[in-house]
Amino acid sequence: VESALLLVGDELLCGRTRDSNLQRLADILGGIGLPVAEASVVGDSRERIAEALRRLAIPGRMVIVTGGLGPTDDDLTTEAVASAFGLCVERSSEAESMLLRRQAISGTRLSDSSWKQANIPSGAVPVFNPVGIAPGYVLRHEELVLICLPGVPAEASALLPGCLEAAGVEAVESLPVSFIRTWGLRENGLFDILREASAQCGVVPAYLPSPGRVDIKVSGDGAEVFSGRVLKMLGRNVYSRSRDETLEMVLGDRLLSAGLTLSTAESCTGGGIGAGLTAVAGSSLWYAGGVISYSNRMKIELLGVSEKTLEKHGAVSSHVVREMAEGVARLSGTQCSVAVTGIAGPSGGVQGKPVGTVWTAAMCSGRMRAFRWRLSGGREAVREGAGARALGVLLEMLS
Ligand code: ATP
Ligand code: MG
């Protein structure tokens, strides 16, 4: 059995909003044995939505729609569903009581227009929205199972499980899934390294890259054996086996249990490392803070980088990055620190130091490791990739 997704909204087509429903919902659906076979995006037009619905509604498929369930004039999904399958739109007393419940929870009166959200196609079963107003609903029509969800991503993913239950979808025996999160490796490099192992284990890994980090997802019978081999091969670059655990979280746990604290000295990453660390709840227990030392003057005055070192080796150098790491640890009184200096581009490259040249340093209780990296992929990729590597090296030193 498979599913199809229909994403509704002008904002998705005019470049204003980046879709995130496909990713989240496909992940949930894939996990319960209803992989998404096809997905379409249409604007807020009743005809277009109806046409797409008829096209996607291949017998035996489950179709899931997101968006256009709200109370405004451009919310046309319900009317489109009715017109696509020859149904009427009716006031559902069940949906109405869900809206009343919503009102009671929020303690404020719903706007007059909100009650429109109690109108759903005849025969549809509404499902309470735990995070927003518009109920979702499930419609069984002949061979078809249709689920309509609000567009706001948090609402869509929160409502999907309830709708699947209402649709009577048995959580199909989900395949065992393994997750391996890595830092500092490139997607195509990983692919080459793991090609043989994946063939031998009979798995087809999915490589999910973001700058500086790649997740490997494998499912099926060979997943566990494959993961074991990957851990052996890539050990130092693996930071977690849990998809919800970030590099920053793992590092924080490690620091906390070792009773150590961390500070950061950032040049080309401009505070991005600090932002990532402070995104972790409770990070104040192990992160002291950082210095964004973008100019030479800041490196000298705040971090105590020597003027001579800067003159002799340049800001992007092993010497400077080490002095930055030492300086910020001294300034903040932490046992650990990381520092980054590099050329994020697109301009600023020089002979011997092309764009993407980055030096990172990680210091821990007097031990120091500095590395030079050659990163590619544009300014953002270089900045994020540099941050992940600086933290990854520290994590390795703590292991
Ligand atoms: P509401 O009750 O909030 O109006 P709705 O079901 O009518 O919900 P839409 O109006 O289509 O949903 O979308 C609401 C908001 O959710 C949009 O402004 C958009 O920012 C966001 N949104 C909708 N679809 C997506 C999507 N596929 N990916 C990311 N964001 C989305
Ligand atoms: Mg809307």
Side-chain angles (χ1 to χ4, degrees):
V1 198
E2 60 180 37
S3 57
L5 272 180
L6 180 60
L7 311 161
V8 177
D10 284 344
E11 72 275 12
L12 300 170
L13 289 173
C14 70
R16 189 151 36 92
T17 303
R18 183 199 296 237
D19 163 64
S20 45
N21 282 336
L22 172 57
Q23 192 191 1
R24 293 189 190 206
L25 301 184
D27 191 46
I28 299 176
L29 291 163
I32 59 161
L34 279 173
V36 176
E38 190 179 350
S40 291
V41 186
V42 287
D44 295 308
S45 139
R46 190 189 328 185
E47 291 70 35
R48 293 252 169 81
I49 300 170
E51 189 186 285
L53 279 171
R54 279 191 296 262
R55 189 168 46 75
L56 292 172
I58 295 170
R61 243 192 202 175
M62 171 175 288
V63 178
I64 293 131
V65 186
T66 71
L69 286 191
T72 54
D73 284 343
D74 60 354
D75 291 320
L76 298 164
T77 297
T78 295
E79 290 166 50
V81 168
S83 100
F85 304 112
L87 306 167
C88 351
V89 175
E90 288 173 349
R91 174 60 58 119
S92 153
S93 56
E94 232 184 314
E96 221 168 47
S97 50
M98 286 172 189
L99 292 176
L100 284 168
R101 191 169 148 205
R102 201 64 254 174
Q103 193 170 247
I105 291 171
S106 71
T108 47
R109 269 176 55 86
L110 290 181
S111 64
D112 290 344
S113 60
S114 287
W115 298 97
K116 181 187 152 194
Q117 294 164 114
N119 299 341
I120 59 178
S122 49
V125 177
V127 176
F128 182 69
N129 184 338
V131 281
I133 297 171
Y137 55 82
V138 177
L139 179 71
R140 285 182 166 281
H141 178 71
E142 294 163 5
E143 291 285 278
L144 173 73
V145 181
L146 179 76
I147 291 178
C148 291
L149 304 169
V152 179
E155 297 183 31
S157 24
L159 261 168
L160 182 60
C163 287
L164 289 167
E165 202 185 311
V169 174
E170 306 255 326
V172 180
E173 183 68 25
S174 62
L175 296 167
V177 175
S178 266
F179 229 77
I180 302 160
R181 314 201 77 179
T182 69
W183 64 271
L185 299 164
R186 287 165 215 258
E187 184 188 5
N188 46 9
L190 268 176
F191 178 81
D192 290 340
I193 296 171
L194 301 178
R195 189 202 309 257
E196 203 178 299
S198 55
Q200 285 166 358
C201 299
V203 295
V204 183
Y207 296 95
L208 316 167
S210 54
R213 310 169 194 216
V214 181
D215 292 340
I216 307 165
K217 186 181 168 192
V218 270
S219 54
D221 290 335
E224 264 314 303
V225 178
F226 176 72
S227 304
R229 288 186 58 177
V230 173
L231 283 180
K232 274 215 188 89
M233 292 169 78
L234 309 176
R236 56 179 286 263
N237 292 89
V238 174
Y239 63 86
S240 179
R241 300 276 327 265
S242 159
R243 62 179 314 166
D244 303 315
E245 198 171 45
T246 64
L247 175 54
E248 288 80 358
M249 287 157 109
V250 177
L251 187 61
D253 283 346
R254 206 60 64 76
L255 288 164
L256 198 59
S257 57
L260 298 168
T261 53
L262 171 66
S263 59
T264 49
E266 302 187 57
S267 189
C268 67
T269 50
I273 299 177
L277 294 169
T278 52
V280 180
S283 48
S284 61
L285 292 171
W286 45 268
Y287 180 58
V291 170
I292 303 174
S293 49
Y294 216 51
S295 67
N296 281 354
R297 181 174 170 156
M298 291 286 278
K299 292 182 182 78
I300 295 165
E301 298 289 326
L302 263 174
L303 298 178
V305 174
S306 100
E307 218 166 332
K308 271 209 192 97
T309 314
L310 275 163
E311 252 165 52
K312 190 164 172 209
H313 303 281
V316 180
S317 63
S318 163
H319 298 78
V320 167
V321 83
R322 286 165 186 266
E323 290 187 21
M324 286 169 69
E326 280 165 4
V328 79
R330 198 167 46 232
L331 183 69
S332 60
T334 59
Q335 303 81 16
C336 301
S337 64
V338 296
V340 175
T341 174
I343 304 159
S347 59
V350 291
Q351 183 71 38
K353 288 180 188 173
V355 167
T357 302
V358 172
W359 275 96
T360 65
M363 208 181 84
C364 186
S365 309
R367 290 180 299 142
M368 168 90 73
R369 282 192 202 166
F371 290 101
R372 190 186 65 176
W373 311 88
R374 285 277 168 81
L375 307 178
S376 56
R379 189 172 174 84
E380 260 330 286
V382 170
R383 281 153 51 94
E384 286 186 36
R389 284 166 172 86
L391 296 178
V393 172
L394 179 62
L395 181 64
E396 212 190 324
M397 291 172 77
L398 288 167
S399 300

